[in-house]
């Protein structure tokens, strides 16, 4: 039985994409196609242990799934004119199980373009691609990206619904659309590879399973689209980068920088495969694209027998071409590294310093890491140490964070051996300011957001005496320059209060107050509300809150301030200060389940208990569960995340949009 299960699992991983692609062509619904394919998998799990594995298991699964599709079409009374054609195809398929059906490769290519369609957000494209083309379960995808299975399931379900709502056809793109659509597919595959090659979060630097899956998808795409140079270039790039995997970590899992790696541990088979893919990319012709240029950079590294033999001038030239083709902040940061290696650290530092205010790199730990490297090579150790500490604070991956902290510890601080900076520091001052007894919890939370960004961008160990209004203005502009006037003014107020407390009255001198205007947000439409109410993945707390806001037309903060003892469930109303909040049957059905027998405390509670240092006042704490009142900021964030797929801009909506419009009656 274990052997049969492993066989079925292996067959499914290899054949599921072809089966789902074939069924999607038949039923024109990728969600239904996956369900029918799963039915065939269940049939295999039931029958193969007793009857044995068929000679051609992939054909058996395909035939069984197509039978399910024909049955579905008959039951639905759809496509009646195709019944005879489909039945004929099924009979023919039984006679040629030993060979692959013609056109099946095209179906897989169509499925790849469908799952990576630009109408979907990036994270949904990655999840759907791994599900449909990789055969991974929601649990496997969740483990790979360090999210919950429920999040992955919701992303996949929303992606399928979005494809259906936009009526995305199961066709290969037209010639005019091919570059953009192909770019979307390549972006998803490379995103999957990068998450495996350099994990953005978690304890481990790498997740090899994702690298292997991306390589498999890239090689498959290269077989299906052999004339596309960028496809072969991406495969070459991934093959060469994957060849370094064994040399990228030390004995304890710590990162090893490229110039320090033992090149004898590079996988020469993968290097040769990368070179071969690069030759195919060049043979395909055309102007070099972004993946061709990145692959050429990888080839330069792979051709150098030692780090000292690396042709950094050529790499800097290639990054310059890539910058002209795809002028992004990350490309320029990589170019700065190459310039620093080819023409001296000052050349690299000049370019890095021009990127410091770029909002795209806000929170990107490699920016201060690169700057620290360049400063260290220039002999500016104390500044380099501060940059490494900043990078460590920004790094979400535990292995990278420990590596950066160790680098900072190895650099002497100003005026002596490695150790903390002399005098008051930004981190210490911020903690002292927020720890004052005269600040309430809401003010601490608000001020804390501002000071946390300053600490992340400037470093906890930055001497307070060196903090200038220009640096504060730069951080604020990069972080909140495009925010609403109210948000900008809130952060400005926090800086002014902190500066006054620290005896630095001019700290907010570069922050001009903005005039606040609050245009009325239009209410969500019936279709958007139906999508919210019918989503089975929405937790009970959020569903109750959203319905109550819609049915009562009350303000968000008013509803969040409600306590259980204020509720009159029979009359469907609650006292909120001097006003009343009332609701209808939808909220009335959900409230008892949400309260779960509680008789006091906040109606809407946070997910977890507060830490000892952040205990709220008695009015905001549930005496039965120990959990605090749900904050306005958290409620807004959850709603924005849930409504992102409904928003054409993919930014998500605010809770105010739940208030009925003038034409509606709550």
């Amino acid at each position: 039985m274990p052997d049969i299960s492993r066989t079925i699992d292996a067959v499914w991983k290899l054949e599921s994409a072809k089966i789902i692609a074939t069924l999607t062509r038949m039923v024109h619904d990728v969600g239904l196609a996956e369900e029918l394919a799963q039915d065939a998998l269940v049939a295999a799990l039931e029958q193969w242990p007793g009857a044995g594995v068929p000679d051609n298991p992939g054909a058996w699964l395909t035939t069984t799934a197509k039978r399910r599709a024909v049955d579905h079409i008959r039951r639905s009374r759809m496509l009646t004119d195709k019944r005879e054609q489909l039945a004929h195809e099924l009979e023919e398929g039984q006679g040629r199980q030993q060979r692959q059906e013609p056109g099946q490769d095209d179906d897989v290519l169509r499925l790849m373009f469908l799952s990576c369609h630009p109408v979907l957000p990036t994270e949904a494209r990655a999840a759907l691609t791994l599900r449909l083309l990789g055969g991974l379960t929601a649990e496997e995808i969740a483990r790979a990206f360090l999210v919950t299975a429920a999040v992955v399931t919701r992303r996949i379900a929303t992606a399928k619904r979005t494809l259906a709502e936009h009526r995305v056809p199961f066709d290969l793109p037209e010639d005019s659309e091919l570059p953009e659509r192909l770019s979307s597919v390549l972006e998803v595959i490379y995103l999957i590879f990068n998450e495996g090659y350099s994990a953005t979060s978690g304890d481990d630097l790498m997740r090899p399973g994702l690298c292997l899956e991306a390589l498999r998808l890239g090689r498959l795409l290269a077989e299906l689209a052999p004339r596309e140079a960028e496809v072969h270039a991406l495969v070459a790039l991934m093959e060469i980068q994957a060849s370094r995997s064994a040399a990228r970590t030390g004995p304890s899992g710590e990162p090893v920088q490229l110039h320090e790696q033992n090149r004898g541990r590079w996988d020469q088979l993968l290097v040769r495969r990368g070179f071969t893919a690069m030759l195919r990319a060049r043979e395909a012709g055309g102007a070099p694209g972004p993946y061709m240029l990145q692959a050429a950079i990888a080839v330069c590294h792979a051709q150098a027998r030692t780090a000292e033999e690396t042709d950094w001038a050529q790499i800097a030239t290639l990054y310059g071409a890539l910058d002209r083709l795809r002028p992004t902040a990350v490309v320029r940061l990589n170019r700065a590294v190459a310039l620093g290696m080819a023409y001296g650290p000052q050349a690299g530092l000049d370019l890095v310093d021009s990127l410091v205010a770029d909002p795209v790199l806000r929170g990107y730990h490699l920016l201060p890491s690169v700057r620290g490297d360049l400063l260290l090579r220039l002999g500016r150790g104390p500044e380099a140490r501060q940059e490494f500490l900043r990078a460590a604070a920004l790094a979400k991956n535990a292995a990278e964070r420990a590596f950066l902290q160790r680098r900072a510890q190895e650099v002497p601080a100003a005026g002596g051996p490695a150790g903390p900076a002399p005098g008051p520091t930004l981190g210490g001052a911020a903690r002292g300011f927020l720890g004052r007894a005269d600040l309430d919890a809401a003010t601490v939370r608000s001020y804390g957001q501002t000071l946390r960004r300053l600490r992340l961008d400037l470093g906890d160990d930055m001497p307070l005496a060196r903090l200038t209004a220009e640096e504060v203005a730069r951080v604020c502009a990069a972080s909140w320059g495009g925010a609403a006037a109210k948000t900008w003014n809130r952060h400005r107020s926090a800086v002014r209060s902190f500066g006054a407390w620290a005896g630095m009255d001019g700290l907010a001198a570069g922050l001009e107050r903005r005039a606040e205007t609050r245009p009325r947000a239009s209410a969500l439409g019936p279709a958007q509300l139906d999508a919210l109410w019918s989503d089975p993945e929405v937790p009970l707390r959020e569903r109750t809150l959203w319905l109550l806001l819609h049915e009562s037309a009350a303000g968000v903060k008013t509803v969040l301030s409600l306590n259980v003892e204020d509720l009159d469930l029979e009359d469907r109303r609650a006292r909120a200060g001097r006003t009343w909040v009332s609701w209808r049957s939808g909220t009335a059905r959900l409230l008892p389940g949400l309260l779960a027998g509680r008789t006091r405390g906040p109606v809407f509670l946070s997910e977890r208990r507060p830490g000892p240092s952040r205990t709220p006042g008695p009015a905001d704490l549930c005496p039965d569960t120990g959990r605090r009142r749900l904050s306005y900021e958290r409620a807004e964030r959850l709603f924005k995340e849930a409504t992102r797929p409904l928003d054409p801009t993919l930014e998500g909506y605010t809770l105010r949009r739940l208030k009925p419009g003038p034409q509606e009656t709550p």
Side-chain angles (χ1 to χ4, degrees):
M1 284 293 294
D3 290 340
I4 290 288
S5 298
R6 284 195 292 268
T7 299
I8 294 174
D9 184 61
V11 170
W12 178 251
K13 288 277 174 60
L14 290 172
E15 301 291 340
S16 60
K18 298 176 184 177
I19 297 169
I20 295 172
T22 298
L23 295 175
T24 303
R25 175 169 51 82
M26 293 173 62
V27 300
H28 303 287
D29 185 332
V30 69
L32 175 59
E34 188 189 4
E35 291 177 12
L36 296 170
Q38 290 286 343
D39 288 345
L41 177 62
V42 171
L45 291 168
E46 293 173 347
Q47 298 179 33
W48 291 7
V53 179
D55 293 336
N56 191 332
W60 190 98
L61 286 170
T62 302
T63 300
T64 303
K66 290 179 73 174
R67 287 183 187 277
R68 301 292 197 277
V70 172
D71 291 343
H72 172 82
I73 292 171
R74 287 200 183 103
R75 286 196 304 269
S76 303
R77 297 182 179 179
M78 295 172 58
L79 306 177
T80 54
D81 57 327
K82 287 192 174 183
R83 287 180 185 170
E84 293 183 3
Q85 174 190 345
L86 292 173
H88 180 66
E89 285 184 7
L90 187 58
E91 291 174 2
E92 282 189 345
Q94 292 174 343
R96 46 181 165 82
Q97 288 188 357
Q98 298 303 318
R99 58 191 176 87
Q100 189 176 356
E101 294 190 7
Q104 201 171 49
D105 282 351
D106 286 345
D107 285 343
V108 175
L109 187 59
R110 289 187 180 96
L111 183 64
M112 195 172 286
F113 277 110
L114 182 70
S115 63
C116 298
H117 198 281
V119 74
L120 302 175
T122 303
E123 64 272 11
R125 280 183 261 166
L128 191 61
T129 299
L130 289 172
R131 175 68 169 163
L132 300 183
L133 290 143
L136 274 65
T137 64
E139 290 75 15
E140 289 172 325
I141 300 170
R143 284 196 298 270
F145 286 97
L146 297 186
V147 294
T148 65
V151 169
V152 171
T153 301
R154 183 163 60 248
R155 287 177 182 174
I156 293 173
T158 302
K160 293 175 183 176
R161 184 169 63 244
T162 302
L163 291 173
E165 290 173 352
H166 286 78
R167 298 183 178 181
V168 177
F170 186 65
D171 291 323
L172 295 174
E174 300 290 338
D175 290 345
S176 59
E177 299 178 349
L178 184 60
E180 178 187 358
R181 295 287 301 280
L182 184 61
S183 175
S184 178
V185 175
L186 297 176
E187 177 189 7
V188 169
I189 294 175
Y190 197 37
L191 180 149
I192 295 170
F193 179 84
N194 275 335
E195 186 59 33
Y197 189 71
S198 184
T200 55
S201 57
D203 296 331
D204 299 321
L205 182 67
M206 298 182 64
R207 298 180 197 144
L210 280 182
C211 289
L212 292 175
E213 191 57 40
L215 272 171
R216 189 185 72 80
L217 291 173
R219 292 164 183 164
L220 174 63
L221 183 59
E223 292 176 5
L224 300 177
R227 298 184 182 87
E228 295 296 334
E230 281 289 87
V231 174
H232 293 293
L234 175 59
V235 172
L237 174 60
M238 293 191 298
E239 299 275 16
I240 295 174
Q241 286 185 323
S243 73
R244 310 175 197 147
S245 297
R248 291 188 67 233
T249 55
S252 303
E254 70 277 11
V256 178
Q257 298 183 92
L258 180 60
H259 67 278
E260 297 176 343
Q261 290 176 12
N262 178 0
R263 302 195 174 208
R265 300 187 66 195
W266 289 5
D267 189 327
Q268 293 305 310
L269 174 59
L270 289 177
V271 171
R272 289 194 295 272
R273 293 186 68 153
F275 287 171
T276 301
M278 189 63 172
L279 288 174
R280 290 174 181 163
R282 288 170 176 164
E283 289 170 358
Y291 294 106
M292 178 75 82
L293 292 170
Q294 292 178 78
I297 293 168
V299 167
C300 282
H301 285 296
Q303 287 177 331
R305 290 178 299 176
T306 64
E308 293 73 23
E309 295 179 23
T310 304
D311 190 348
W312 282 107
Q314 175 65 14
I315 291 174
T317 300
L318 289 168
Y319 269 121
L322 184 60
D323 187 20
R324 291 189 293 274
L325 185 64
R326 184 169 286 183
T328 67
V330 174
V331 169
R332 293 193 181 104
L333 182 61
N334 286 322
R335 183 177 174 227
V337 174
L339 288 172
M341 297 298 291
Y343 305 111
Q346 188 60 52
L349 185 62
D350 290 341
L351 180 53
V352 169
D353 284 345
S354 71
L355 301 173
V356 169
D358 195 316
V360 175
L361 296 178
R362 185 193 70 188
Y364 188 48
H365 69 286
L366 291 183
L367 175 62
S369 175
V370 168
R371 195 167 187 273
D373 273 322
L374 295 167
L375 288 168
L376 192 60
R377 290 171 57 198
L378 287 169
R380 295 159 64 178
E383 295 174 74
R385 182 178 186 277
Q386 181 180 318
E387 292 297 304
F388 289 139
L389 288 172
R390 284 183 53 217
L394 293 170
K396 297 178 182 179
N397 182 277
E400 284 192 290
R401 183 164 56 250
F403 170 74
L404 290 164
Q405 288 172 341
R406 187 165 58 253
R407 292 204 68 188
Q409 292 168 1
E410 293 170 353
V411 180
T425 62
L426 174 59
R431 288 189 291 271
F433 173 71
L434 296 175
R436 293 156 50 200
D438 59 326
L439 297 180
D440 57 39
T443 304
V444 169
R445 187 164 57 246
S446 177
Y447 285 178
Q449 292 175 350
T450 309
L451 293 177
R452 180 177 181 275
R453 174 49 54 190
L454 289 174
R455 292 165 64 185
L456 285 174
D457 280 20
L458 300 175
D460 263 2
D461 283 1
M462 180 179 194
L464 197 61
R466 286 179 45 198
L467 184 62
T468 65
E470 291 75 16
E471 286 178 308
V472 171
R474 174 182 60 77
V475 173
C476 291
S479 303
W480 307 293
K486 183 176 181 180
T487 301
W488 171 268
N489 291 338
R490 176 168 62 87
H491 292 295
R492 174 180 178 270
S493 175
V495 171
R496 291 183 64 194
S497 297
F498 175 69
W501 176 84
M504 306 170 71
D505 292 330
L507 203 57
L511 306 176
E512 294 292 333
R513 180 175 176 80
R514 297 179 181 176
E516 296 185 16
T517 57
R518 186 179 178 182
R520 178 177 174 80
S522 59
L524 295 181
Q528 295 166 313
L529 291 173
D530 287 343
L532 282 179
W533 308 149
S534 62
D535 187 348
E537 299 297 329
V538 174
L540 176 61
R541 182 189 64 183
E542 277 68 57
R543 187 184 300 277
T544 307
L545 173 62
W546 300 348
L547 264 173
L548 179 53
L549 287 170
H550 180 66
E551 292 182 353
S552 68
V556 179
K557 292 185 178 180
T558 299
V559 170
L560 290 174
S561 71
L562 293 177
N563 294 316
V564 179
E565 53 266 34
D566 298 329
L567 304 181
D568 187 337
L569 297 181
E570 290 187 4
D571 288 347
R572 298 180 182 176
R573 65 175 188 166
R575 180 180 293 279
R578 298 182 179 180
T579 64
W580 288 88
V581 174
S582 59
W583 54 85
R584 293 184 288 164
S585 58
T587 304
R589 285 194 301 270
L590 298 178
L591 271 174
L594 177 70
L595 299 179
R598 291 188 291 119
T599 59
R600 52 187 181 158
V603 173
F604 298 100
L605 300 174
S606 61
E607 295 92 339
R608 61 187 68 179
R609 296 182 180 183
S613 62
R614 302 187 64 182
T615 303
D620 291 324
L621 193 66
C622 175
D624 298 327
T625 66
R627 289 150 59 193
R628 68 181 303 155
R629 188 184 304 276
L630 178 65
S631 69
Y632 173 83
E633 294 79 11
R634 176 66 174 163
E636 284 285 12
R637 180 182 175 187
L638 290 172
F639 189 65
K640 188 175 285 287
E641 290 177 353
T643 56
R644 191 172 286 121
L646 306 177
D647 183 5
T649 67
L650 300 179
E651 293 182 358
Y653 299 123
T654 62
L655 287 166
R656 284 190 297 147
R657 303 286 293 272
L658 286 170
K659 181 176 285 192
Q663 74 281 6
E664 301 181 56
T665 55

